[in-house]
Amino acid sequence: MRVLPYGARAAMVDFDDPSEVLGLHASLEQDPPDGVLELVPAARTLLIRFDPGRTHHDRLAEDVLHRSTVDTQPREAAEIVVPVHYDGPDLADVAAASGMSAEAVVRRHEDGTYVSAFCGFAPGFAYLTGLDPALHLPRRTSPRTRVPAGSVAIAGEYTAVYPNASPGGWQLIGRTTLPVWDVEREPPNLLAPGTRIRFTS
Amino acid sequence: MTAKIEVLRPGVFTTVQDLGRPGLAAIGVGRSGAADRGSLRLANRLVGNPEGHAALECVLGGLALRFPAPATVAVTGAPCSITVGTRAFGPGSPIPVCPGEELVLGMASHGLRCYVAVRGGVDVPAVLGARATDTLGKLGPPALSAGMTLPVGQRVLPHPGVDLAPRAPLPDVPVLRVTPGPRASWFVPDALSTLVSAAYVATADVDRVGVRLDGPVLSRARGGELPPEAAVPGALQVPPSGQPILFLADHPVTGGYPVIAVVEEADLDLAAQVRPGQRVLFRLS
Protein backbone atom coordinates (compact mmCIF):
# COMPACT_ATOMS: atom_id res chain seq x y z
CA MET A 1 0.00 0.00 0.00
CA ARG A 2 1.40 3.38 -1.09
CA VAL A 3 -0.06 6.87 -0.52
CA LEU A 4 0.53 9.07 -3.56
CA PRO A 5 0.09 12.86 -3.74
CA TYR A 6 -2.80 14.06 -5.96
CA GLY A 7 -2.65 17.85 -5.91
CA ALA A 8 -3.02 19.88 -2.71
CA ARG A 9 -6.48 18.52 -1.90
CA ALA A 10 -6.33 14.79 -2.46
CA ALA A 11 -4.24 11.69 -1.89
CA MET A 12 -4.41 8.41 -3.75
CA VAL A 13 -3.85 5.13 -1.94
CA ASP A 14 -2.49 2.53 -4.34
CA PHE A 15 -2.89 -1.17 -3.50
CA ASP A 16 -1.25 -4.31 -4.87
CA ASP A 17 -4.26 -6.39 -3.84
CA PRO A 18 -7.64 -5.04 -5.04
CA SER A 19 -9.44 -6.70 -2.12
CA GLU A 20 -7.76 -4.18 0.20
CA VAL A 21 -9.60 -1.22 -1.40
CA LEU A 22 -12.96 -1.99 0.23
CA GLY A 23 -11.28 -2.78 3.54
CA LEU A 24 -9.55 0.58 3.81
CA HIS A 25 -12.68 2.30 2.47
CA ALA A 26 -14.76 0.73 5.27
CA SER A 27 -12.17 1.61 7.91
CA LEU A 28 -11.99 5.25 6.82
CA GLU A 29 -15.80 5.51 6.60
CA GLN A 30 -16.25 4.13 10.12
CA ASP A 31 -13.54 6.31 11.65
CA PRO A 32 -12.76 9.19 9.28
CA PRO A 33 -9.57 11.16 9.91
CA ASP A 34 -10.07 14.87 10.52
CA GLY A 35 -10.45 16.91 7.34
CA VAL A 36 -11.49 14.06 5.02
CA LEU A 37 -14.25 15.18 2.62
CA GLU A 38 -14.77 12.25 0.27
CA LEU A 39 -13.59 8.69 -0.46
CA VAL A 40 -13.67 7.37 -4.03
CA PRO A 41 -12.82 3.67 -4.46
CA ALA A 42 -11.63 2.37 -7.84
CA ALA A 43 -10.09 -0.83 -9.20
CA ARG A 44 -6.76 -0.77 -7.31
CA THR A 45 -6.91 2.63 -5.61
CA LEU A 46 -8.81 4.74 -3.12
CA LEU A 47 -8.89 8.51 -3.62
CA ILE A 48 -9.12 10.58 -0.44
CA ARG A 49 -10.26 14.18 -0.97
CA PHE A 50 -9.48 16.42 1.99
CA ASP A 51 -9.76 20.00 3.21
CA PRO A 52 -6.22 21.43 3.04
CA GLY A 53 -7.17 23.88 5.81
CA ARG A 54 -7.70 20.99 8.23
CA THR A 55 -5.15 18.34 7.29
CA HIS A 56 -2.32 17.61 4.88
CA HIS A 57 -0.92 14.78 2.82
CA ASP A 58 1.72 13.56 5.28
CA ARG A 59 -0.66 13.45 8.23
CA LEU A 60 -3.24 11.50 6.21
CA ALA A 61 -0.60 9.11 4.89
CA GLU A 62 0.59 8.44 8.43
CA ASP A 63 -2.98 7.63 9.53
CA VAL A 64 -3.80 5.46 6.51
CA LEU A 65 -0.62 3.37 6.68
CA HIS A 66 -1.49 2.30 10.24
CA ARG A 67 -4.94 0.99 9.33
CA SER A 68 -6.13 -2.53 8.65
CA THR A 69 -7.21 -3.18 5.07
CA VAL A 70 -9.04 -6.39 5.86
CA ASP A 71 -12.66 -6.03 4.79
CA THR A 72 -14.76 -6.88 7.84
CA GLN A 73 -18.09 -5.37 6.77
CA PRO A 74 -21.05 -7.76 7.05
CA ARG A 75 -22.56 -8.21 3.59
CA GLU A 76 -25.59 -10.49 4.06
CA ALA A 77 -28.02 -7.65 4.67
CA ALA A 78 -26.98 -5.77 1.56
CA GLU A 79 -27.46 -8.51 -1.06
CA ILE A 80 -29.32 -7.39 -4.18
CA VAL A 81 -30.89 -9.95 -6.51
CA VAL A 82 -30.96 -8.87 -10.16
CA PRO A 83 -33.41 -10.78 -12.41
CA VAL A 84 -31.96 -11.26 -15.90
CA HIS A 85 -33.22 -12.29 -19.32
CA TYR A 86 -30.09 -13.87 -20.78
CA ASP A 87 -30.72 -12.96 -24.41
CA GLY A 88 -27.97 -10.38 -25.04
CA PRO A 89 -26.68 -9.79 -28.59
CA ASP A 90 -23.15 -10.88 -27.59
CA LEU A 91 -24.10 -14.08 -25.76
CA ALA A 92 -23.22 -16.32 -28.74
CA ASP A 93 -19.88 -14.51 -29.24
CA VAL A 94 -19.04 -14.86 -25.55
CA ALA A 95 -19.87 -18.56 -25.70
CA ALA A 96 -17.66 -19.05 -28.77
CA ALA A 97 -14.77 -17.03 -27.34
CA SER A 98 -14.84 -18.89 -24.02
CA GLY A 99 -15.31 -22.32 -25.63
CA MET A 100 -18.59 -23.27 -24.01
CA SER A 101 -22.30 -23.32 -24.81
CA ALA A 102 -24.52 -20.27 -24.28
CA GLU A 103 -26.32 -22.23 -21.55
CA ALA A 104 -22.99 -22.81 -19.78
CA VAL A 105 -22.13 -19.10 -19.99
CA VAL A 106 -25.47 -18.24 -18.38
CA ARG A 107 -24.97 -20.86 -15.66
CA ARG A 108 -21.46 -19.61 -14.86
CA HIS A 109 -22.67 -16.00 -14.73
CA GLU A 110 -25.65 -16.91 -12.51
CA ASP A 111 -23.54 -19.02 -10.17
CA GLY A 112 -21.31 -16.10 -9.18
CA THR A 113 -21.71 -13.99 -6.08
CA TYR A 114 -20.55 -10.52 -6.94
CA VAL A 115 -19.43 -7.54 -4.89
CA SER A 116 -19.71 -3.97 -6.14
CA ALA A 117 -16.12 -2.68 -6.08
CA PHE A 118 -16.52 0.85 -7.41
CA CYS A 119 -18.59 3.10 -9.67
CA GLY A 120 -17.50 5.15 -12.65
CA PHE A 121 -17.96 5.58 -16.41
CA ALA A 122 -21.53 6.83 -15.84
CA PRO A 123 -23.68 7.70 -12.80
CA GLY A 124 -24.58 4.45 -11.04
CA PHE A 125 -22.40 2.24 -13.28
CA ALA A 126 -20.99 -0.27 -10.79
CA TYR A 127 -18.02 -2.52 -11.52
CA LEU A 128 -18.91 -5.88 -9.95
CA THR A 129 -16.08 -8.26 -9.00
CA GLY A 130 -16.36 -12.02 -8.67
CA LEU A 131 -16.84 -12.96 -12.34
CA ASP A 132 -15.86 -16.56 -13.16
CA PRO A 133 -12.34 -16.40 -14.72
CA ALA A 134 -13.65 -18.52 -17.63
CA LEU A 135 -15.71 -15.46 -18.63
CA HIS A 136 -12.88 -12.92 -18.49
CA LEU A 137 -12.95 -11.55 -22.05
CA PRO A 138 -11.79 -8.27 -23.56
CA ARG A 139 -14.24 -5.57 -24.53
CA ARG A 140 -15.70 -5.56 -28.04
CA THR A 141 -13.20 -4.33 -30.63
CA SER A 142 -15.71 -1.70 -31.73
CA PRO A 143 -17.92 -0.15 -29.03
CA ARG A 144 -21.65 0.27 -29.65
CA THR A 145 -22.87 3.85 -29.97
CA ARG A 146 -25.91 2.99 -27.87
CA VAL A 147 -26.31 0.29 -25.25
CA PRO A 148 -29.85 0.13 -23.78
CA ALA A 149 -30.43 0.81 -20.08
CA GLY A 150 -30.58 -2.41 -18.07
CA SER A 151 -28.11 -4.29 -20.28
CA VAL A 152 -26.18 -6.91 -18.30
CA ALA A 153 -22.62 -7.03 -19.56
CA ILE A 154 -19.15 -8.42 -18.94
CA ALA A 155 -15.66 -7.11 -19.69
CA GLY A 156 -12.31 -8.22 -18.28
CA GLU A 157 -12.71 -9.29 -14.67
CA TYR A 158 -15.97 -7.36 -14.19
CA THR A 159 -19.69 -7.67 -14.81
CA ALA A 160 -22.08 -4.68 -14.76
CA VAL A 161 -25.59 -3.41 -15.42
CA TYR A 162 -25.82 -0.32 -17.65
CA PRO A 163 -27.81 2.17 -15.53
CA ASN A 164 -28.83 4.34 -18.49
CA ALA A 165 -28.63 4.18 -22.26
CA SER A 166 -25.08 5.15 -23.26
CA PRO A 167 -22.32 4.22 -25.66
CA GLY A 168 -20.41 1.16 -24.48
CA GLY A 169 -17.97 -1.55 -25.45
CA TRP A 170 -18.79 -4.32 -23.01
CA GLN A 171 -20.11 -7.73 -24.10
CA LEU A 172 -23.89 -7.73 -23.67
CA ILE A 173 -25.18 -11.07 -22.37
CA GLY A 174 -28.61 -10.12 -21.03
CA ARG A 175 -30.93 -7.44 -19.71
CA THR A 176 -32.80 -6.62 -16.53
CA THR A 177 -35.85 -4.50 -15.80
CA LEU A 178 -34.56 -3.73 -12.30
CA PRO A 179 -33.81 0.02 -12.23
CA VAL A 180 -30.31 0.08 -10.75
CA TRP A 181 -30.24 3.90 -11.03
CA ASP A 182 -33.06 6.38 -10.35
CA VAL A 183 -32.32 10.02 -9.51
CA GLU A 184 -35.72 10.29 -7.78
CA ARG A 185 -34.74 7.57 -5.31
CA GLU A 186 -32.65 8.04 -2.19
CA PRO A 187 -30.00 6.76 -2.65
CA PRO A 188 -30.26 6.76 -6.45
CA ASN A 189 -27.98 3.75 -6.93
CA LEU A 190 -28.78 0.17 -5.92
CA LEU A 191 -25.25 -1.18 -6.40
CA ALA A 192 -23.16 0.92 -4.02
CA PRO A 193 -19.54 -0.17 -3.44
CA GLY A 194 -19.52 -3.06 -0.96
CA THR A 195 -22.97 -4.39 -1.96
CA ARG A 196 -23.29 -8.12 -2.73
CA ILE A 197 -25.15 -8.98 -5.92
CA ARG A 198 -26.60 -12.17 -7.42
CA PHE A 199 -27.99 -12.54 -10.93
CA THR A 200 -30.87 -14.93 -11.56
CA SER A 201 -32.82 -15.84 -14.69
CA MET B 1 -46.60 34.08 -10.15
CA THR B 2 -43.11 32.82 -10.93
CA ALA B 3 -41.02 35.10 -13.14
CA LYS B 4 -39.63 33.55 -16.31
CA ILE B 5 -36.76 34.09 -18.69
CA GLU B 6 -37.43 33.43 -22.38
CA VAL B 7 -34.53 32.10 -24.43
CA LEU B 8 -34.51 33.88 -27.81
CA ARG B 9 -31.08 32.58 -28.96
CA PRO B 10 -29.00 30.11 -26.95
CA GLY B 11 -25.65 31.33 -28.31
CA VAL B 12 -22.88 28.84 -29.05
CA PHE B 13 -23.61 26.56 -26.06
CA THR B 14 -25.32 27.65 -22.87
CA THR B 15 -26.09 25.55 -19.82
CA VAL B 16 -27.52 26.11 -16.34
CA GLN B 17 -24.74 25.81 -13.74
CA ASP B 18 -24.34 26.17 -10.00
CA LEU B 19 -21.59 24.85 -7.72
CA GLY B 20 -22.42 21.25 -8.65
CA ARG B 21 -22.76 17.95 -6.80
CA PRO B 22 -19.72 17.45 -4.57
CA GLY B 23 -19.32 14.23 -2.63
CA LEU B 24 -21.06 11.80 -5.00
CA ALA B 25 -18.06 10.50 -6.96
CA ALA B 26 -18.26 7.12 -5.21
CA ILE B 27 -21.60 6.48 -6.98
CA GLY B 28 -20.23 7.68 -10.31
CA VAL B 29 -21.51 11.27 -10.18
CA GLY B 30 -18.97 14.05 -10.70
CA ARG B 31 -19.03 17.50 -9.13
CA SER B 32 -19.81 19.32 -12.39
CA GLY B 33 -21.07 22.90 -11.83
CA ALA B 34 -19.62 26.10 -13.26
CA ALA B 35 -16.30 25.59 -15.04
CA ASP B 36 -15.18 29.06 -13.83
CA ARG B 37 -16.55 28.97 -10.30
CA GLY B 38 -15.19 32.38 -9.30
CA SER B 39 -17.11 34.09 -12.11
CA LEU B 40 -20.33 32.29 -11.16
CA ARG B 41 -19.91 33.33 -7.53
CA LEU B 42 -19.22 36.95 -8.47
CA ALA B 43 -22.20 37.17 -10.81
CA ASN B 44 -24.45 35.86 -8.03
CA ARG B 45 -23.04 38.29 -5.45
CA LEU B 46 -23.61 41.24 -7.78
CA VAL B 47 -27.35 40.52 -7.99
CA GLY B 48 -27.76 39.72 -4.29
CA ASN B 49 -27.93 35.95 -4.62
CA PRO B 50 -26.24 33.32 -2.46
CA GLU B 51 -23.03 32.34 -4.32
CA GLY B 52 -24.28 28.87 -5.18
CA HIS B 53 -27.48 29.90 -6.97
CA ALA B 54 -27.91 28.57 -10.49
CA ALA B 55 -26.96 30.91 -13.35
CA LEU B 56 -26.21 30.54 -17.04
CA GLU B 57 -22.80 29.52 -18.41
CA CYS B 58 -22.49 30.66 -22.02
CA VAL B 59 -19.62 29.58 -24.26
CA LEU B 60 -18.24 32.54 -26.26
CA GLY B 61 -21.46 34.62 -25.99
CA GLY B 62 -24.21 35.11 -28.56
CA LEU B 63 -26.94 34.56 -25.96
CA ALA B 64 -30.22 36.53 -26.22
CA LEU B 65 -32.80 36.45 -23.43
CA ARG B 66 -36.12 38.23 -22.91
CA PHE B 67 -37.43 39.11 -19.45
CA PRO B 68 -41.25 39.45 -19.26
CA ALA B 69 -40.97 40.74 -15.66
CA PRO B 70 -38.54 43.26 -14.13
CA ALA B 71 -35.18 41.66 -13.34
CA THR B 72 -31.66 42.40 -12.17
CA VAL B 73 -28.88 40.56 -13.98
CA ALA B 74 -25.06 40.56 -13.97
CA VAL B 75 -22.60 39.21 -16.54
CA THR B 76 -19.10 38.04 -15.56
CA GLY B 77 -16.36 35.81 -16.97
CA ALA B 78 -15.16 36.20 -20.54
CA PRO B 79 -15.63 39.87 -21.54
CA CYS B 80 -18.28 40.47 -24.21
CA SER B 81 -20.57 43.32 -25.26
CA ILE B 82 -23.76 43.50 -23.21
CA THR B 83 -26.91 45.31 -24.36
CA VAL B 84 -30.29 45.60 -22.70
CA GLY B 85 -32.80 47.12 -25.09
CA THR B 86 -30.75 49.90 -26.67
CA ARG B 87 -28.48 50.44 -23.65
CA ALA B 88 -24.92 49.12 -23.43
CA PHE B 89 -23.43 47.84 -20.18
CA GLY B 90 -20.06 46.61 -19.02
CA PRO B 91 -19.31 43.32 -17.27
CA GLY B 92 -19.24 42.95 -13.52
CA SER B 93 -22.17 45.27 -12.75
CA PRO B 94 -25.75 44.76 -11.62
CA ILE B 95 -27.96 45.58 -14.61
CA PRO B 96 -31.65 46.52 -14.27
CA VAL B 97 -33.92 45.01 -16.92
CA CYS B 98 -37.42 46.40 -17.52
CA PRO B 99 -40.37 44.14 -18.34
CA GLY B 100 -40.24 42.97 -21.96
CA GLU B 101 -36.62 43.99 -22.50
CA GLU B 102 -34.02 41.78 -24.15
CA LEU B 103 -30.50 41.06 -22.89
CA VAL B 104 -28.07 40.32 -25.72
CA LEU B 105 -24.45 39.17 -25.31
CA GLY B 106 -21.99 39.75 -28.17
CA MET B 107 -19.11 37.39 -28.85
CA ALA B 108 -16.42 37.26 -26.15
CA SER B 109 -13.22 39.08 -27.10
CA HIS B 110 -11.06 37.04 -24.73
CA GLY B 111 -11.67 33.92 -22.72
CA LEU B 112 -14.33 31.31 -23.31
CA ARG B 113 -17.17 31.36 -20.79
CA CYS B 114 -19.56 34.14 -19.74
CA TYR B 115 -21.84 33.84 -16.72
CA VAL B 116 -25.28 35.46 -16.50
CA ALA B 117 -26.84 35.57 -13.04
CA VAL B 118 -30.38 36.78 -12.43
CA ARG B 119 -31.62 38.01 -9.06
CA GLY B 120 -33.47 35.04 -7.51
CA GLY B 121 -31.46 32.48 -9.47
CA VAL B 122 -32.44 30.15 -12.31
CA ASP B 123 -34.93 27.95 -10.52
CA VAL B 124 -35.01 24.75 -12.59
CA PRO B 125 -35.64 21.55 -10.58
CA ALA B 126 -32.61 20.23 -8.70
CA VAL B 127 -31.27 16.77 -9.59
CA LEU B 128 -29.27 15.08 -6.82
CA GLY B 129 -29.10 18.37 -4.97
CA ALA B 130 -27.92 20.62 -7.82
CA ARG B 131 -29.26 22.43 -10.87
CA ALA B 132 -26.02 22.05 -12.81
CA THR B 133 -25.95 20.37 -16.22
CA ASP B 134 -23.38 17.56 -16.21
CA THR B 135 -22.68 17.06 -19.90
CA LEU B 136 -20.80 13.79 -19.41
CA GLY B 137 -22.96 12.26 -16.65
CA LYS B 138 -26.15 13.44 -18.41
CA LEU B 139 -27.69 15.01 -15.30
CA GLY B 140 -29.52 18.30 -14.88
CA PRO B 141 -31.46 20.36 -17.42
CA PRO B 142 -30.73 20.22 -21.15
CA ALA B 143 -28.58 22.90 -22.80
CA LEU B 144 -30.55 26.05 -23.66
CA SER B 145 -32.45 26.15 -26.94
CA ALA B 146 -34.52 28.88 -28.58
CA GLY B 147 -38.07 29.03 -27.25
CA MET B 148 -37.24 27.52 -23.88
CA THR B 149 -38.35 29.34 -20.72
CA LEU B 150 -36.47 29.26 -17.43
CA PRO B 151 -38.13 29.93 -14.07
CA VAL B 152 -36.62 32.56 -11.78
CA GLY B 153 -36.55 31.91 -8.03
CA GLN B 154 -37.44 34.16 -5.12
CA ARG B 155 -34.92 36.82 -4.12
CA VAL B 156 -33.51 36.04 -0.70
CA LEU B 157 -30.75 38.60 0.02
CA PRO B 158 -30.72 42.41 -0.08
CA HIS B 159 -29.02 44.12 -3.00
CA PRO B 160 -25.28 44.29 -2.33
CA GLY B 161 -25.06 48.03 -3.03
CA VAL B 162 -22.13 47.58 -5.43
CA ASP B 163 -21.99 49.26 -8.84
CA LEU B 164 -18.93 47.54 -10.27
CA ALA B 165 -16.63 44.64 -9.45
CA PRO B 166 -13.38 45.33 -11.33
CA ARG B 167 -11.41 42.25 -12.36
CA ALA B 168 -7.95 41.84 -13.82
CA PRO B 169 -8.06 41.13 -17.56
CA LEU B 170 -7.61 37.52 -18.64
CA PRO B 171 -3.93 36.91 -19.57
CA ASP B 172 -3.06 36.22 -23.21
CA VAL B 173 -0.98 33.23 -22.13
CA PRO B 174 -2.31 31.76 -18.89
CA VAL B 175 0.22 30.26 -16.51
CA LEU B 176 -1.26 27.33 -14.58
CA ARG B 177 0.50 26.11 -11.46
CA VAL B 178 0.81 22.32 -11.10
CA THR B 179 1.98 19.76 -8.57
CA PRO B 180 3.22 16.29 -9.57
CA GLY B 181 0.38 13.81 -10.03
CA PRO B 182 -0.07 10.32 -8.60
CA ARG B 183 1.41 8.64 -11.71
CA ALA B 184 4.29 11.03 -12.39
CA SER B 185 6.60 8.03 -11.90
CA TRP B 186 5.01 6.28 -14.90
CA PHE B 187 6.72 8.79 -17.19
CA VAL B 188 10.33 9.23 -18.29
CA PRO B 189 12.29 11.37 -15.79
CA ASP B 190 12.25 14.54 -17.91
CA ALA B 191 8.53 14.39 -18.85
CA LEU B 192 7.47 16.58 -15.93
CA SER B 193 10.18 19.13 -16.68
CA THR B 194 9.04 19.15 -20.33
CA LEU B 195 5.47 19.83 -19.21
CA VAL B 196 6.49 22.82 -17.07
CA SER B 197 9.01 24.33 -19.51
CA ALA B 198 7.39 23.97 -22.95
CA ALA B 199 4.29 25.77 -24.26
CA TYR B 200 1.14 23.77 -24.97
CA VAL B 201 -1.66 24.87 -27.28
CA ALA B 202 -5.34 24.16 -26.64
CA THR B 203 -6.71 22.16 -29.58
CA ALA B 204 -10.22 22.61 -31.01
CA ASP B 205 -11.27 19.86 -28.58
CA VAL B 206 -12.24 22.08 -25.62
CA ASP B 207 -15.45 21.47 -23.70
CA ARG B 208 -16.73 21.13 -20.14
CA VAL B 209 -15.03 17.73 -19.83
CA GLY B 210 -11.57 19.09 -20.52
CA VAL B 211 -9.00 20.78 -22.71
CA ARG B 212 -7.07 18.55 -25.09
CA LEU B 213 -3.59 20.04 -25.45
CA ASP B 214 -1.01 19.88 -28.20
CA GLY B 215 2.71 20.16 -27.48
CA PRO B 216 5.85 18.14 -26.76
CA VAL B 217 5.05 14.46 -26.19
CA LEU B 218 5.11 13.28 -22.57
CA SER B 219 6.64 9.82 -22.88
CA ARG B 220 5.86 6.91 -20.63
CA ALA B 221 8.67 5.06 -18.85
CA ARG B 222 6.51 1.98 -18.40
CA GLY B 223 3.88 0.34 -20.55
CA GLY B 224 0.79 -1.50 -19.46
CA GLU B 225 -2.76 -0.52 -18.81
CA LEU B 226 -3.77 1.52 -15.79
CA PRO B 227 -6.93 0.12 -14.18
CA PRO B 228 -9.61 2.83 -13.79
CA GLU B 229 -8.91 5.22 -10.91
CA ALA B 230 -10.59 8.34 -9.56
CA ALA B 231 -9.72 11.70 -11.11
CA VAL B 232 -10.08 15.27 -9.83
CA PRO B 233 -10.65 18.57 -11.69
CA GLY B 234 -7.27 19.88 -12.80
CA ALA B 235 -5.82 16.43 -13.43
CA LEU B 236 -3.53 16.28 -16.47
CA GLN B 237 -4.21 12.84 -17.87
CA VAL B 238 -1.90 11.51 -20.57
CA PRO B 239 -3.29 9.02 -23.12
CA PRO B 240 -0.93 6.92 -25.28
CA SER B 241 -0.49 9.84 -27.73
CA GLY B 242 1.56 11.61 -25.03
CA GLN B 243 -0.54 14.78 -25.43
CA PRO B 244 -2.08 15.78 -22.07
CA ILE B 245 -5.78 16.38 -21.42
CA LEU B 246 -6.61 18.90 -18.68
CA PHE B 247 -9.77 17.82 -16.84
CA LEU B 248 -12.42 20.48 -16.13
CA ALA B 249 -15.81 20.45 -14.37
CA ASP B 250 -17.45 17.49 -16.16
CA HIS B 251 -14.37 15.22 -16.20
CA PRO B 252 -14.89 11.45 -15.94
CA VAL B 253 -15.21 10.29 -12.34
CA THR B 254 -12.72 7.52 -13.05
CA GLY B 255 -10.11 7.73 -15.76
CA GLY B 256 -8.00 5.07 -17.38
CA TYR B 257 -4.80 6.97 -18.22
CA PRO B 258 -1.99 8.04 -15.88
CA VAL B 259 -2.13 11.54 -14.37
CA ILE B 260 1.28 13.22 -14.58
CA ALA B 261 0.41 16.45 -12.77
CA VAL B 262 -2.50 18.35 -11.22
CA VAL B 263 -3.39 22.01 -11.81
CA GLU B 264 -3.97 23.86 -8.54
CA GLU B 265 -7.61 24.47 -7.66
CA ALA B 266 -6.92 28.23 -7.49
CA ASP B 267 -5.97 28.23 -11.20
CA LEU B 268 -8.89 26.15 -12.48
CA ASP B 269 -11.07 29.21 -13.19
CA LEU B 270 -8.31 30.51 -15.47
CA ALA B 271 -8.03 27.07 -17.10
CA ALA B 272 -11.78 27.15 -17.82
CA GLN B 273 -11.31 30.33 -19.85
CA VAL B 274 -8.73 28.80 -22.25
CA ARG B 275 -9.87 29.05 -25.86
CA PRO B 276 -9.11 26.68 -28.72
CA GLY B 277 -5.79 27.77 -30.27
CA GLN B 278 -4.60 29.57 -27.15
CA ARG B 279 -1.13 28.93 -25.68
CA VAL B 280 -0.90 27.67 -22.08
CA LEU B 281 2.10 27.41 -19.76
CA PHE B 282 2.42 25.10 -16.78
CA ARG B 283 4.68 25.89 -13.84
CA LEU B 284 5.58 23.82 -10.79
CA SER B 285 4.15 25.50 -7.70
Side-chain angles (χ1 to χ4, degrees):
Chain A
M1 180 163 75
R2 290 160 298 280
V3 186
L4 308 170
Y6 202 141
R9 292 159 181 261
M12 178 164 276
V13 190
D14 189 24
F15 300 90
D16 295 318
D17 177 355
S19 73
E20 293 181 310
V21 179
L22 284 174
L24 183 67
H25 187 210
S27 166
L28 291 170
E29 268 194 330
Q30 282 157 20
D31 177 22
D34 186 44
V36 168
L37 301 176
E38 184 173 24
L39 303 167
V40 191
R44 305 278 187 280
T45 57
L46 179 70
L47 181 81
I48 305 174
R49 271 204 322 113
F50 59 85
D51 176 353
R54 286 169 60 199
T55 189
H56 53 77
H57 181 272
D58 292 351
R59 187 197 293 176
L60 264 180
E62 175 75 14
D63 179 308
V64 162
L65 292 170
H66 284 94
R67 286 180 185 251
S68 165
T69 57
V70 177
D71 188 3
T72 54
Q73 275 197 320
R75 302 244 176 266
E76 289 306 326
E79 185 171 274
I80 302 272
V81 176
V82 180
V84 186
H85 297 279
Y86 282 101
D87 57 359
D90 297 326
L91 185 59
D93 287 352
V94 167
S98 51
M100 58 180 99
S101 66
E103 293 72 25
V105 168
V106 170
R107 197 164 58 243
R108 296 245 188 175
H109 190 258
E110 269 190 298
D111 281 350
T113 300
Y114 303 94
V115 176
S116 172
F118 64 100
C119 294
F121 172 66
F125 188 101
Y127 291 73
L128 311 181
T129 55
L131 183 67
D132 189 317
L135 298 178
H136 290 192
L137 297 174
R139 283 179 282 186
R140 287 167 50 85
T141 48
S142 175
R144 288 185 170 83
T145 54
R146 189 174 181 281
V147 172
S151 294
V152 175
I154 60 173
E157 65 198 279
Y158 301 108
T159 187
V161 180
Y162 278 78
N164 278 307
S166 70
W170 290 35
Q171 311 274 2
L172 309 183
I173 59 172
R175 63 198 157 88
T176 181
T177 53
L178 183 72
V180 297
W181 175 256
D182 178 358
V183 292
E184 305 293 332
R185 188 172 56 200
E186 174 53 40
N189 60 315
L190 278 187
L191 311 181
T195 310
R196 273 164 54 120
I197 293 103
R198 278 192 305 114
F199 292 100
T200 179
S201 55
Chain B
M1 192 187 79
T2 312
K4 299 266 187 198
I5 305 170
E6 297 168 8
V7 179
L8 303 178
R9 292 194 300 278
V12 176
F13 182 70
T14 304
T15 52
V16 177
Q17 296 296 339
D18 56 15
L19 293 176
R21 304 176 181 84
L24 299 178
I27 62 169
V29 175
R31 184 174 73 179
S32 189
D36 175 351
R37 297 161 72 83
S39 291
L40 174 92
R41 288 185 155 114
L42 177 62
N44 271 324
R45 288 202 303 274
L46 284 165
V47 296
N49 284 344
E51 288 189 328
H53 263 27
L56 301 178
E57 177 181 284
C58 175
V59 174
L60 285 172
L63 177 68
L65 306 171
R66 184 177 171 277
F67 293 81
T72 303
V73 302
V75 183
T76 60
C80 60
S81 70
I82 304 160
T83 56
V84 174
T86 56
R87 296 167 292 150
F89 291 89
S93 292
I95 301 171
V97 184
C98 298
E101 280 193 315
E102 292 175 14
L103 167 76
V104 178
L105 304 188
M107 297 308 282
S109 55
H110 300 82
L112 189 67
R113 294 181 167 94
C114 317
Y115 291 84
V116 181
V118 57
R119 184 161 167 79
V122 177
D123 197 24
V124 294
V127 176
L128 300 179
R131 293 169 174 80
T133 296
D134 181 341
T135 58
L136 190 67
K138 305 274 191 293
L139 296 169
L144 268 57
S145 57
M148 190 185 255
T149 60
L150 299 166
V152 177
Q154 299 294 316
R155 50 206 65 178
V156 295
L157 298 177
H159 273 294
V162 172
D163 289 332
L164 176 66
R167 292 190 93 185
L170 290 167
D172 289 333
V173 183
V175 179
L176 306 177
R177 291 165 293 175
V178 299
T179 54
R183 302 298 175 189
S185 65
W186 280 46
F187 295 85
V188 297
D190 61 356
L192 192 62
S193 56
T194 299
L195 176 74
V196 298
S197 56
Y200 283 81
V201 176
T203 65
D205 197 358
V206 172
D207 59 16
R208 287 183 45 80
V209 174
V211 180
R212 198 179 284 265
L213 296 153
D214 188 20
V217 167
L218 303 173
S219 301
R220 289 258 297 264
R222 53 175 287 184
E225 290 278 299
L226 182 72
E229 59 187 28
V232 302
L236 281 157
Q237 202 188 61
V238 185
S241 68
Q243 304 286 350
I245 300 167
L246 168 56
F247 278 166
L248 297 180
D250 289 355
H251 70 85
V253 171
T254 56
Y257 299 121
V259 170
I260 189 172
V262 185
V263 173
E264 283 193 16
E265 177 114 348
D267 290 350
L268 285 180
D269 291 351
L270 201 53
Q273 294 294 356
V274 170
R275 291 184 163 210
Q278 193 172 5
R279 288 203 314 152
V280 181
L281 301 177
F282 297 101
R283 291 289 176 263
L284 272 177
S285 57

